[in-house]
Short mmCIF file of all heavy atoms in Angstrom, two decimals:
data_model
loop_
_atom_site.label_atom_id
_atom_site.label_comp_id
_atom_site.label_asym_id
_atom_site.label_seq_id
_atom_site.Cartn_x
_atom_site.Cartn_y
_atom_site.Cartn_z
N VAL T 48 114.76 107.94 89.17
CA VAL T 48 115.31 109.22 88.74
C VAL T 48 114.89 109.52 87.30
O VAL T 48 114.49 110.65 86.97
CB VAL T 48 116.85 109.24 88.90
CG1 VAL T 48 117.47 110.44 88.20
CG2 VAL T 48 117.22 109.23 90.37
N GLY T 49 114.93 108.51 86.43
CA GLY T 49 114.50 108.68 85.04
C GLY T 49 113.04 109.09 84.94
O GLY T 49 112.67 109.99 84.17
N ARG T 50 112.21 108.43 85.74
CA ARG T 50 110.77 108.74 85.74
C ARG T 50 110.52 110.17 86.21
O ARG T 50 109.76 110.92 85.60
CB ARG T 50 110.03 107.74 86.64
CG ARG T 50 108.54 107.93 86.63
CD ARG T 50 107.82 106.92 87.49
NE ARG T 50 108.32 106.88 88.84
CZ ARG T 50 108.79 105.78 89.45
NH1 ARG T 50 108.83 104.63 88.82
NH2 ARG T 50 109.21 105.83 90.68
N ILE T 51 111.19 110.57 87.29
CA ILE T 51 111.02 111.92 87.82
C ILE T 51 111.54 112.95 86.81
O ILE T 51 110.90 113.98 86.57
CB ILE T 51 111.73 112.07 89.18
CG1 ILE T 51 110.99 111.25 90.24
CG2 ILE T 51 111.81 113.54 89.59
CD1 ILE T 51 111.74 111.11 91.55
N GLY T 52 112.69 112.67 86.20
CA GLY T 52 113.26 113.61 85.22
C GLY T 52 112.34 113.85 84.04
O GLY T 52 112.10 115.00 83.66
N VAL T 53 111.82 112.78 83.46
CA VAL T 53 110.92 112.94 82.32
C VAL T 53 109.63 113.64 82.76
O VAL T 53 109.12 114.51 82.05
CB VAL T 53 110.61 111.58 81.66
CG1 VAL T 53 109.49 111.69 80.64
CG2 VAL T 53 111.87 111.03 81.00
N TYR T 54 109.12 113.28 83.92
CA TYR T 54 107.90 113.92 84.41
C TYR T 54 108.12 115.42 84.59
O TYR T 54 107.27 116.23 84.22
CB TYR T 54 107.44 113.27 85.70
CG TYR T 54 106.13 113.82 86.20
CD1 TYR T 54 104.95 113.55 85.53
CD2 TYR T 54 106.08 114.63 87.32
CE1 TYR T 54 103.73 114.07 85.96
CE2 TYR T 54 104.88 115.16 87.76
CZ TYR T 54 103.71 114.87 87.09
OH TYR T 54 102.52 115.39 87.52
N MET T 55 109.27 115.81 85.13
CA MET T 55 109.57 117.23 85.31
C MET T 55 109.64 117.95 83.96
O MET T 55 109.19 119.08 83.83
CB MET T 55 110.89 117.43 86.07
CG MET T 55 110.82 116.97 87.49
SD MET T 55 109.54 117.88 88.38
CE MET T 55 110.00 117.59 90.03
N LEU T 56 110.20 117.27 82.96
CA LEU T 56 110.25 117.87 81.62
C LEU T 56 108.85 118.10 81.06
O LEU T 56 108.61 119.10 80.38
CB LEU T 56 111.05 116.99 80.67
CG LEU T 56 112.57 116.98 80.87
CD1 LEU T 56 113.22 115.95 79.94
CD2 LEU T 56 113.15 118.36 80.63
N THR T 57 107.94 117.17 81.34
CA THR T 57 106.57 117.35 80.83
C THR T 57 105.87 118.52 81.51
O THR T 57 104.97 119.11 80.93
CB THR T 57 105.71 116.08 81.01
OG1 THR T 57 105.54 115.80 82.40
CG2 THR T 57 106.33 114.88 80.31
N LEU T 58 106.28 118.85 82.72
CA LEU T 58 105.67 119.98 83.43
C LEU T 58 106.06 121.31 82.79
O LEU T 58 105.39 122.32 83.01
CB LEU T 58 106.06 119.97 84.91
CG LEU T 58 105.53 118.80 85.73
CD1 LEU T 58 106.03 118.89 87.16
CD2 LEU T 58 104.01 118.75 85.71
N LEU T 59 107.15 121.33 82.04
CA LEU T 59 107.58 122.57 81.37
C LEU T 59 106.66 122.93 80.22
O LEU T 59 106.61 124.08 79.80
CB LEU T 59 109.02 122.41 80.85
CG LEU T 59 110.10 122.20 81.91
CD1 LEU T 59 111.45 121.94 81.23
CD2 LEU T 59 110.19 123.39 82.85
N SER T 60 105.95 121.93 79.71
CA SER T 60 105.05 122.18 78.59
C SER T 60 103.75 122.80 79.09
O SER T 60 103.20 122.37 80.11
CB SER T 60 104.75 120.85 77.88
OG SER T 60 103.80 121.03 76.88
N PRO T 61 103.22 123.82 78.38
CA PRO T 61 101.98 124.45 78.82
C PRO T 61 100.77 123.53 78.67
O PRO T 61 99.76 123.71 79.32
CB PRO T 61 101.84 125.67 77.91
CG PRO T 61 102.68 125.37 76.72
CD PRO T 61 103.77 124.43 77.18
N GLN T 62 100.88 122.50 77.83
CA GLN T 62 99.78 121.55 77.66
C GLN T 62 100.30 120.14 77.93
O GLN T 62 101.50 119.89 77.89
CB GLN T 62 99.21 121.64 76.25
CG GLN T 62 100.21 121.28 75.17
CD GLN T 62 99.70 121.65 73.81
OE1 GLN T 62 99.01 122.65 73.67
NE2 GLN T 62 100.05 120.88 72.81
N GLU T 63 99.37 119.26 78.19
CA GLU T 63 99.76 117.88 78.48
C GLU T 63 100.35 117.25 77.22
O GLU T 63 99.76 117.30 76.14
CB GLU T 63 98.53 117.09 78.93
CG GLU T 63 98.89 115.94 79.79
CD GLU T 63 97.70 115.39 80.57
OE1 GLU T 63 96.64 116.04 80.60
OE2 GLU T 63 97.86 114.32 81.14
N SER T 64 101.55 116.68 77.37
CA SER T 64 102.22 116.13 76.19
C SER T 64 102.17 114.61 76.15
O SER T 64 102.36 114.02 75.10
CB SER T 64 103.67 116.60 76.14
OG SER T 64 104.33 116.27 77.34
N MET T 65 101.97 113.98 77.30
CA MET T 65 101.89 112.52 77.33
C MET T 65 101.10 112.06 78.54
O MET T 65 100.88 112.82 79.48
CB MET T 65 103.26 111.88 77.28
CG MET T 65 104.20 112.21 78.40
SD MET T 65 105.83 111.55 78.05
CE MET T 65 106.09 110.57 79.48
N SER T 66 100.69 110.80 78.51
CA SER T 66 99.91 110.23 79.59
C SER T 66 100.82 109.85 80.76
O SER T 66 101.68 108.99 80.62
CB SER T 66 99.17 108.99 79.09
OG SER T 66 98.67 108.25 80.19
N ASP T 67 100.63 110.51 81.88
CA ASP T 67 101.44 110.18 83.05
C ASP T 67 101.15 108.79 83.58
O ASP T 67 102.03 108.10 84.07
CB ASP T 67 101.28 111.24 84.15
CG ASP T 67 99.83 111.51 84.50
OD1 ASP T 67 98.93 111.06 83.77
OD2 ASP T 67 99.59 112.17 85.52
N HIS T 68 99.89 108.33 83.46
CA HIS T 68 99.53 106.99 83.93
C HIS T 68 100.25 105.92 83.12
O HIS T 68 100.79 104.96 83.69
CB HIS T 68 98.02 106.75 83.81
CG HIS T 68 97.22 107.49 84.82
ND1 HIS T 68 96.82 108.79 84.61
CD2 HIS T 68 96.74 107.12 86.02
CE1 HIS T 68 96.14 109.19 85.66
NE2 HIS T 68 96.06 108.20 86.53
N ILE T 69 100.26 106.05 81.83
CA ILE T 69 100.89 105.04 80.98
C ILE T 69 102.40 105.06 81.20
O ILE T 69 103.04 104.01 81.34
CB ILE T 69 100.54 105.26 79.50
CG1 ILE T 69 99.03 105.00 79.31
CG2 ILE T 69 101.36 104.36 78.60
CD1 ILE T 69 98.50 105.36 77.95
N PHE T 70 102.98 106.23 81.28
CA PHE T 70 104.42 106.34 81.52
C PHE T 70 104.80 105.73 82.87
O PHE T 70 105.73 104.94 82.97
CB PHE T 70 104.83 107.82 81.45
CG PHE T 70 106.29 108.04 81.63
CD1 PHE T 70 107.19 107.68 80.64
CD2 PHE T 70 106.77 108.61 82.79
CE1 PHE T 70 108.56 107.88 80.81
CE2 PHE T 70 108.13 108.82 82.97
CZ PHE T 70 109.02 108.46 81.98
N LEU T 71 104.04 106.08 83.92
CA LEU T 71 104.28 105.50 85.24
C LEU T 71 104.08 103.99 85.19
O LEU T 71 104.86 103.23 85.76
CB LEU T 71 103.33 106.12 86.27
CG LEU T 71 103.32 105.51 87.67
CD1 LEU T 71 104.69 105.61 88.32
CD2 LEU T 71 102.26 106.18 88.53
N GLY T 72 103.05 103.56 84.48
CA GLY T 72 102.77 102.13 84.38
C GLY T 72 103.92 101.36 83.76
O GLY T 72 104.27 100.27 84.23
N LEU T 73 104.55 101.91 82.74
CA LEU T 73 105.68 101.23 82.12
C LEU T 73 106.87 101.13 83.07
O LEU T 73 107.56 100.11 83.10
CB LEU T 73 106.08 101.93 80.83
CG LEU T 73 105.13 101.68 79.66
CD1 LEU T 73 105.34 102.70 78.56
CD2 LEU T 73 105.30 100.27 79.13
N SER T 74 107.09 102.15 83.87
CA SER T 74 108.21 102.09 84.82
C SER T 74 107.92 101.07 85.93
O SER T 74 108.81 100.33 86.34
CB SER T 74 108.50 103.47 85.41
OG SER T 74 107.49 103.90 86.28
N VAL T 75 106.68 101.03 86.38
CA VAL T 75 106.30 100.06 87.42
C VAL T 75 106.38 98.64 86.87
O VAL T 75 106.91 97.74 87.51
CB VAL T 75 104.88 100.37 87.97
CG1 VAL T 75 104.35 99.23 88.81
CG2 VAL T 75 104.91 101.67 88.77
N CYS T 76 105.88 98.44 85.65
CA CYS T 76 105.90 97.10 85.06
C CYS T 76 107.33 96.61 84.80
O CYS T 76 107.61 95.41 84.94
CB CYS T 76 105.10 97.06 83.76
SG CYS T 76 103.33 96.99 84.09
N ALA T 77 108.23 97.51 84.45
CA ALA T 77 109.63 97.10 84.26
C ALA T 77 110.20 96.54 85.56
O ALA T 77 110.86 95.49 85.57
CB ALA T 77 110.46 98.27 83.75
N LEU T 78 109.92 97.21 86.66
CA LEU T 78 110.43 96.74 87.96
C LEU T 78 109.72 95.47 88.42
O LEU T 78 110.38 94.55 88.91
CB LEU T 78 110.27 97.84 89.02
CG LEU T 78 111.17 99.06 88.82
CD1 LEU T 78 110.81 100.15 89.82
CD2 LEU T 78 112.63 98.68 88.95
N THR T 79 108.41 95.40 88.26
CA THR T 79 107.72 94.18 88.71
C THR T 79 108.07 93.00 87.81
O THR T 79 108.10 91.87 88.28
CB THR T 79 106.19 94.37 88.79
OG1 THR T 79 105.70 94.82 87.53
CG2 THR T 79 105.81 95.34 89.89
N ARG T 80 108.36 93.26 86.54
CA ARG T 80 108.80 92.18 85.65
C ARG T 80 110.17 91.65 86.10
O ARG T 80 110.44 90.46 86.07
CB ARG T 80 108.84 92.66 84.20
CG ARG T 80 108.81 91.55 83.21
CD ARG T 80 108.60 91.95 81.77
NE ARG T 80 108.22 93.31 81.46
CZ ARG T 80 106.98 93.79 81.50
NH1 ARG T 80 105.99 93.02 81.90
NH2 ARG T 80 106.72 95.03 81.17
#
Side-chain angles (χ1 to χ4, degrees):
V48 169
R50 183 178 54 236
I51 291 169
V53 170
Y54 184 70
M55 293 300 198
L56 287 174
T57 64
L58 294 178
L59 296 175
S60 175
Q62 62 192 34
E63 206 163 349
S64 55
M65 61 188 235
S66 166
D67 52 348
H68 287 85
I69 293 172
F70 182 72
L71 173 60
L73 285 163
S74 70
V75 168
C76 282
L78 291 173
T79 55
R80 200 169 349 277

